[in-house]
Amino acid sequence: MDAKVNKQQLNWTELGFQYHRTDYRFCAQYSSGSWNRGEMIASEVIQVHEGAPALHYAQQCFEGMKAQTAADGRVLLFRPDLNSERMNMAASRLLMPEVPRKMFIDAVQETVRANYSWIPPYGSGASLYIRPMLIGVGENLGLRPAQQFEFRVFVSPVGPYYKSDGLGVISLAVSEIDRAAPNGTGCYKVGANYAGGLLATRKAQDKGAHEALYLDSAEGRYIDEAGSANIVIAMKDGSFITPNSNAILPSITRKSLMVIAREQLHLKTEARPIDLRLEISQFEEAAACGTAAVLAPVGRILVDQQWHAIYKDGQTVGPIMQELYDRLVGIQMGELSDAFDWCHEVKF
Ligand code: PLP
Ligand code: COI
């Protein structure tokens, strides 16, 4: 199942961020207190009981990762141990069983190997998106945790998350809808956070922005994050900052960018509350970052019915974000030295 075979005949450079059915997915079941071994299966359809807690009470979590083809043909994952850790944090929070780290990493690797023909080639600008998920299944009605769970990993070749050419500039609109409460589930990758955000994204798009920008829900002052990505900001004073909030997803991309900014660009980095209205005039460059988003420079932000251009005309990529993008993607695609030991090769 894991033999290297010819690539699919896809128009790789034209791919958007859409589901594309691939050949195999990993699937394991948990019941009576333990996981079975799991197996690779062909069907993309999950059959669940109509009473499943995942369907009614959102007892589910997921992850997002990418596999890239390097110039020398190696297939690389980016810091998959952190996705395993984060999924288990969500699992504990929602009273679901943890997926042992080895099982998680093995399942991801096996699914990537089995779908070799779907891994976009080097230089195509596309990658293989990996979606591990954990759902509460089985019969249930009252508000209590499931007795059975399914862990599944599927993959799909994807192109850029935001429609633009190359490193495109995006715009954000501040949302009047909150995403997560200060001590709620905002820092976990759980579906419930996203269902509540669909309307916020729609409203932001209706205003001409790509995405919603959430402020803290206690005071509506401090930047939390965007609908599908964290925020990083290069300030006019030379510092490089990101929100310090317990209501945002701890982004692996952001964590990595902060290290690159500090260690390689020698910027003074800090995670601190960022008062949007008070500080926006001091923003030199801003970006949204995440696995799907990679690093998307934010050109304009709509705040209180007024658009604010961040860098220059709001449509230009600034030098700091360009440099960070080049270094991050360079490491992820094996073009630059993996100085921090972040890449994990999937061996065939
Ligand atoms: N914030 C939200 C709400 C997300 O959905 C994501 C995507 O995973 C991120 C941030 C970025 O996290 P990561 O860089 O780990 O993909
Ligand atoms: C990711 O970046 O992996 C995500 O899960 C974001 C999602 C909204 C596509």
Side-chain angles (χ1 to χ4, degrees), residues 17 62-65 129 131 161 189 194 227-229 290-293:
F17 195 88
F62 65 100
E63 274 301 324
M65 318 161 60
Y129 187 74
R131 177 53 66 85
Y161 191 68
K189 202 160 172 65
Y194 296 82
S228 56
T291 298

Side-chain angles (χ1 to χ4, degrees), residues 195-234:
L198 291 172
L199 179 61
T201 307
R202 171 74 57 84
K203 285 178 178 245
Q205 288 168 348
D206 287 347
K207 292 171 188 159
H210 288 81
E211 269 263 29
L213 176 65
Y214 295 104
L215 302 183
D216 78 282
S217 52
E219 295 185 70
R221 277 176 63 182
Y222 302 102
I223 296 180
D224 260 350
E225 63 175 325
S228 56
N230 275 185
I231 299 294
V232 289
I233 298 165

Side-chain angles (χ1 to χ4, degrees), residues 48-96:
V48 286
H49 194 281
E50 62 190 4
L55 300 180
H56 298 270
Y57 307 127
Q59 194 187 24
Q60 66 86 252
C61 64
F62 65 100
E63 274 301 324
M65 318 161 60
K66 276 177 177 171
Q68 314 268 5
T69 307
D72 59 8
R74 286 178 306 145
V75 174
L76 303 176
L77 301 174
F78 188 68
R79 311 187 78 177
D81 47 322
L82 297 183
N83 294 96
S84 159
E85 223 170 79
R86 192 169 65 186
M87 174 168 259
N88 283 339
M89 282 166 50
S92 302
R93 174 66 177 81
L94 296 193
L95 297 182
M96 301 194 283

